[in-house]
PDB file of all heavy atoms in Angstrom:
ATOM      1  N   GLY A   8      -3.554  -3.056   9.568  1.00 97.00           N
ATOM      2  CA  GLY A   8      -2.348  -3.831   9.784  1.00 97.00           C
ATOM      3  C   GLY A   8      -1.165  -3.067  10.332  1.00 97.00           C
ATOM      4  O   GLY A   8      -0.135  -3.673  10.660  1.00 97.00           O
ATOM      5  N   GLY A   9      -1.262  -1.755  10.436  1.00 97.00           N
ATOM      6  CA  GLY A   9      -0.170  -0.980  10.986  1.00 97.00           C
ATOM      7  C   GLY A   9      -0.040  -1.181  12.478  1.00 97.00           C
ATOM      8  O   GLY A   9      -0.911  -1.759  13.130  1.00 97.00           O
ATOM      9  N   GLY A  10       1.067  -0.702  13.025  1.00 97.00           N
ATOM     10  CA  GLY A  10       1.287  -0.829  14.447  1.00 97.00           C
ATOM     11  C   GLY A  10       2.734  -0.633  14.814  1.00 97.00           C
ATOM     12  O   GLY A  10       3.540  -0.159  14.023  1.00 97.00           O
ATOM     13  N   VAL A  12       6.292  -2.292  15.979  1.00 98.00           N
ATOM     14  CA  VAL A  12       7.033  -3.538  15.853  1.00 98.00           C
ATOM     15  C   VAL A  12       8.510  -3.265  16.124  1.00 98.00           C
ATOM     16  O   VAL A  12       9.007  -2.166  15.875  1.00 98.00           O
ATOM     17  CB  VAL A  12       6.831  -4.158  14.452  1.00 98.00           C
ATOM     18  CG1 VAL A  12       7.430  -3.272  13.368  1.00 98.00           C
ATOM     19  CG2 VAL A  12       7.411  -5.563  14.385  1.00 98.00           C
ATOM     20  N   GLY A  16      11.340  -7.233  12.881  1.00 98.00           N
ATOM     21  CA  GLY A  16      10.025  -7.839  12.886  1.00 98.00           C
ATOM     22  C   GLY A  16       9.302  -7.694  11.563  1.00 98.00           C
ATOM     23  O   GLY A  16       9.847  -7.164  10.589  1.00 98.00           O
ATOM     24  N   SER A  17       8.050  -8.159  11.546  1.00 98.00           N
ATOM     25  CA  SER A  17       7.259  -8.167  10.321  1.00 98.00           C
ATOM     26  C   SER A  17       5.859  -7.635  10.575  1.00 98.00           C
ATOM     27  O   SER A  17       5.322  -7.743  11.680  1.00 98.00           O
ATOM     28  CB  SER A  17       7.154  -9.591   9.753  1.00 98.00           C
ATOM     29  OG  SER A  17       8.423 -10.122   9.416  1.00 98.00           O
ATOM     30  N   LEU A  18       5.282  -7.069   9.542  1.00 98.00           N
ATOM     31  CA  LEU A  18       3.893  -6.640   9.536  1.00 98.00           C
ATOM     32  C   LEU A  18       3.314  -6.908   8.159  1.00 98.00           C
ATOM     33  O   LEU A  18       4.041  -6.938   7.163  1.00 98.00           O
ATOM     34  CB  LEU A  18       3.754  -5.147   9.848  1.00 98.00           C
ATOM     35  CG  LEU A  18       3.984  -4.668  11.277  1.00 98.00           C
ATOM     36  CD1 LEU A  18       3.968  -3.140  11.307  1.00 98.00           C
ATOM     37  CD2 LEU A  18       2.925  -5.220  12.218  1.00 98.00           C
ATOM     38  N   ARG A  19       2.009  -7.076   8.106  1.00 98.00           N
ATOM     39  CA  ARG A  19       1.315  -7.149   6.835  1.00 98.00           C
ATOM     40  C   ARG A  19       0.218  -6.105   6.798  1.00 98.00           C
ATOM     41  O   ARG A  19      -0.693  -6.119   7.622  1.00 98.00           O
ATOM     42  CB  ARG A  19       0.710  -8.538   6.582  1.00 98.00           C
ATOM     43  CG  ARG A  19       0.193  -8.689   5.143  1.00 98.00           C
ATOM     44  CD  ARG A  19      -0.506 -10.004   4.884  1.00 98.00           C
ATOM     45  NE  ARG A  19      -1.835 -10.054   5.467  1.00 98.00           N
ATOM     46  CZ  ARG A  19      -2.787 -10.911   5.111  1.00 98.00           C
ATOM     47  NH1 ARG A  19      -2.533 -11.818   4.164  1.00 98.00           N
ATOM     48  NH2 ARG A  19      -3.963 -10.888   5.715  1.00 98.00           N
ATOM     49  N   LEU A  20       0.320  -5.214   5.831  1.00 98.00           N
ATOM     50  CA  LEU A  20      -0.691  -4.196   5.623  1.00 98.00           C
ATOM     51  C   LEU A  20      -1.712  -4.685   4.603  1.00 98.00           C
ATOM     52  O   LEU A  20      -1.361  -5.367   3.643  1.00 98.00           O
ATOM     53  CB  LEU A  20      -0.068  -2.895   5.127  1.00 98.00           C
ATOM     54  CG  LEU A  20       1.058  -2.288   5.970  1.00 98.00           C
ATOM     55  CD1 LEU A  20       1.499  -0.961   5.362  1.00 98.00           C
ATOM     56  CD2 LEU A  20       0.620  -2.105   7.412  1.00 98.00           C
ATOM     57  N   LEU A  80       0.660  -5.663   1.607  1.00 98.00           N
ATOM     58  CA  LEU A  80       2.079  -5.375   1.648  1.00 98.00           C
ATOM     59  C   LEU A  80       2.682  -6.125   2.829  1.00 98.00           C
ATOM     60  O   LEU A  80       2.445  -5.763   3.981  1.00 98.00           O
ATOM     61  CB  LEU A  80       2.354  -3.877   1.782  1.00 98.00           C
ATOM     62  CG  LEU A  80       3.832  -3.482   1.726  1.00 98.00           C
ATOM     63  CD1 LEU A  80       4.403  -3.735   0.325  1.00 98.00           C
ATOM     64  CD2 LEU A  80       4.023  -2.015   2.112  1.00 98.00           C
ATOM     65  N   ARG A  81       3.425  -7.176   2.518  1.00 98.00           N
ATOM     66  CA  ARG A  81       4.131  -7.935   3.541  1.00 98.00           C
ATOM     67  C   ARG A  81       5.486  -7.298   3.759  1.00 98.00           C
ATOM     68  O   ARG A  81       6.271  -7.175   2.821  1.00 98.00           O
ATOM     69  CB  ARG A  81       4.293  -9.392   3.114  1.00 98.00           C
ATOM     70  CG  ARG A  81       5.078 -10.256   4.090  1.00 98.00           C
ATOM     71  CD  ARG A  81       4.322 -10.436   5.394  1.00 98.00           C
ATOM     72  NE  ARG A  81       5.038 -11.325   6.303  1.00 98.00           N
ATOM     73  CZ  ARG A  81       4.623 -11.637   7.528  1.00 98.00           C
ATOM     74  NH1 ARG A  81       3.484 -11.138   7.983  1.00 98.00           N
ATOM     75  NH2 ARG A  81       5.348 -12.444   8.282  1.00 98.00           N
ATOM     76  N   MET A  82       5.758  -6.888   4.981  1.00 98.00           N
ATOM     77  CA  MET A  82       6.981  -6.191   5.316  1.00 98.00           C
ATOM     78  C   MET A  82       7.784  -7.044   6.290  1.00 98.00           C
ATOM     79  O   MET A  82       7.346  -7.291   7.418  1.00 98.00           O
ATOM     80  CB  MET A  82       6.678  -4.825   5.924  1.00 98.00           C
ATOM     81  CG  MET A  82       5.807  -3.934   5.034  1.00 98.00           C
ATOM     82  SD  MET A  82       5.538  -2.284   5.734  1.00 98.00           S
ATOM     83  CE  MET A  82       4.545  -2.711   7.174  1.00 98.00           C
ATOM     84  N   ASN A  83       8.941  -7.494   5.847  1.00 98.00           N
ATOM     85  CA  ASN A  83       9.844  -8.288   6.666  1.00 98.00           C
ATOM     86  C   ASN A  83      11.113  -7.505   6.975  1.00 98.00           C
ATOM     87  O   ASN A  83      11.437  -6.528   6.303  1.00 98.00           O
ATOM     88  CB  ASN A  83      10.215  -9.593   5.957  1.00 98.00           C
ATOM     89  CG  ASN A  83       9.042 -10.524   5.756  1.00 98.00           C
ATOM     90  OD1 ASN A  83       8.141 -10.600   6.592  1.00 98.00           O
ATOM     91  ND2 ASN A  83       9.054 -11.256   4.644  1.00 98.00           N
ATOM     92  N   LEU A  85      11.988  -5.416   9.221  1.00 98.00           N
ATOM     93  CA  LEU A  85      11.713  -3.988   9.342  1.00 98.00           C
ATOM     94  C   LEU A  85      12.835  -3.253  10.065  1.00 98.00           C
ATOM     95  O   LEU A  85      13.450  -3.778  10.996  1.00 98.00           O
ATOM     96  CB  LEU A  85      10.390  -3.772  10.066  1.00 98.00           C
ATOM     97  CG  LEU A  85       9.153  -4.024   9.197  1.00 98.00           C
ATOM     98  CD1 LEU A  85       7.919  -4.221  10.060  1.00 98.00           C
ATOM     99  CD2 LEU A  85       8.953  -2.864   8.224  1.00 98.00           C
ATOM    100  N   VAL A 116       3.003   2.981  10.838  1.00 98.00           N
ATOM    101  CA  VAL A 116       3.940   1.895  11.103  1.00 98.00           C
ATOM    102  C   VAL A 116       5.116   2.481  11.869  1.00 98.00           C
ATOM    103  O   VAL A 116       5.771   3.409  11.392  1.00 98.00           O
ATOM    104  CB  VAL A 116       4.429   1.232   9.808  1.00 98.00           C
ATOM    105  CG1 VAL A 116       5.552   0.232  10.102  1.00 98.00           C
ATOM    106  CG2 VAL A 116       3.274   0.537   9.101  1.00 98.00           C
TER     107      VAL A 116
END
Side-chain angles (χ1 to χ4, degrees):
V12 65
S17 299
L18 287 173
R19 190 184 75 161
L20 305 183
L80 184 68
R81 177 67 177 178
M82 304 183 293
N83 295 325
L85 283 162
V116 172

